[in-house]
């Protein structure tokens, strides 16, 4: 048990697990999702660098240089997580659609079909309390393009 805890603290193990998870997510959603590097300080912080989530047409849905999450409290037994800060640096978010369907619908459709999350990991109960204090988005670029209704926001 102690060896497993120590191993999961190593960046090489964290990135191996991240790669395996992203392969499953990409396959499940039929869209490429990648994260260049992950640093997890368990029960304290998560940093993800070079994030790229493509939609099912291989167009950018989300791209960001950094996602930094500061966890101020984590209790496995109480099923509670308190996030102090979430910082997203240089995100590019592109939403496109035809008035009825948008390039992110595949995420919502898969996640809500049969009222269950995609079977990426085994979860017995999802009754967790998650709270968040602050979200900071630094230097965002957001575009919205509704082709049917000719609405473009950049």
């Amino acid at each position: 048990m102690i060896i497993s805890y120590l191993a999961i603290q190593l960046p090489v193990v964290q990135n191996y697990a991240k790669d395996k998870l992203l392969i499953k997510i990409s396959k499940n959603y039929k869209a490429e999702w990648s994260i260049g590097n992950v640093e997890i300080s368990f029960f304290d912080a998560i940093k993800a660098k070079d994030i790229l989530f493509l939609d099912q047409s291989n167009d950018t849905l989300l791209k960001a240089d950094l996602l930094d999450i500061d966890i101020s409290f984590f209790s496995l037994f109480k099923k509670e997580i308190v996030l102090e800060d979430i910082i997203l640096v240089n995100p590019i978010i592109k939403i496109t659609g035809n008035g009825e369907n948008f390039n992110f619908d595949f995420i919502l459709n898969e996640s809500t079909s049969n009222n269950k999350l995609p079977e990426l990991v085994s979860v017995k109960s999802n009754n967790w309390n998650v709270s968040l204090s602050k979200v900071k988005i630094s230097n965002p670029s957001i575009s919205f393009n509704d082709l049917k209704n000719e609405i473009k926001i950049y």
Side-chain angles (χ1 to χ4, degrees):
M1 186 72 160
I2 293 174
I3 293 173
S4 297
Y5 177 77
L6 293 175
I8 199 72
Q9 297 293 325
L10 298 172
V12 68
V13 175
Q14 294 173 0
N15 282 288
Y16 176 80
K18 173 257 317 172
D19 290 341
K20 290 294 186 186
L21 181 61
L22 286 172
I23 287 169
K24 278 187 146 183
I25 291 172
S26 294
K27 183 178 178 182
N28 189 62
Y29 286 125
K30 298 176 183 75
E32 182 184 341
W33 288 20
S34 66
I35 297 174
N37 189 44
V38 169
E39 298 171 19
I40 302 170
S41 175
F42 276 89
F43 314 117
D44 188 39
I46 300 171
K47 286 187 182 188
K49 296 178 183 174
D50 301 322
I51 300 162
L52 178 61
F53 296 164
L54 300 180
D55 63 20
Q56 292 179 321
S57 299
N58 281 336
D59 292 326
T60 300
L61 185 58
L62 169 69
K63 182 179 189 303
D65 292 342
L66 175 69
L67 173 64
D68 190 352
I69 302 172
D70 180 19
I71 303 168
S72 64
F73 179 76
F74 177 87
S75 172
L76 185 61
F77 301 110
K78 291 183 179 181
K79 295 185 178 182
E80 184 176 6
I81 301 172
V82 178
L83 305 175
E84 184 66 31
D85 295 304
I86 293 182
I87 301 169
L88 191 58
V89 178
N90 297 327
I92 298 170
I93 301 167
K94 295 182 179 179
I95 299 172
T96 58
N98 63 10
E100 295 175 16
N101 300 306
F102 288 89
N103 62 336
F104 59 85
D105 286 347
F106 70 99
I107 299 169
L108 301 176
N109 293 341
E110 181 67 26
S111 297
T112 58
S113 66
N114 299 323
N115 293 321
K116 68 176 188 174
L117 293 171
E119 293 183 20
L120 301 173
V121 292
S122 176
V123 178
K124 291 182 181 178
S125 173
N126 59 359
N127 296 324
W128 281 72
N129 291 319
V130 179
S131 61
L132 170 64
S133 295
K134 293 185 282 186
V135 174
K136 179 181 178 185
I137 301 175
S138 174
N139 195 30
S141 172
I142 301 171
S143 65
F144 177 87
N145 189 0
D146 181 343
L147 302 170
K148 180 180 179 185
N149 297 307
E150 298 180 3
I151 300 171
K152 293 181 181 181
I153 303 171
Y154 297 96

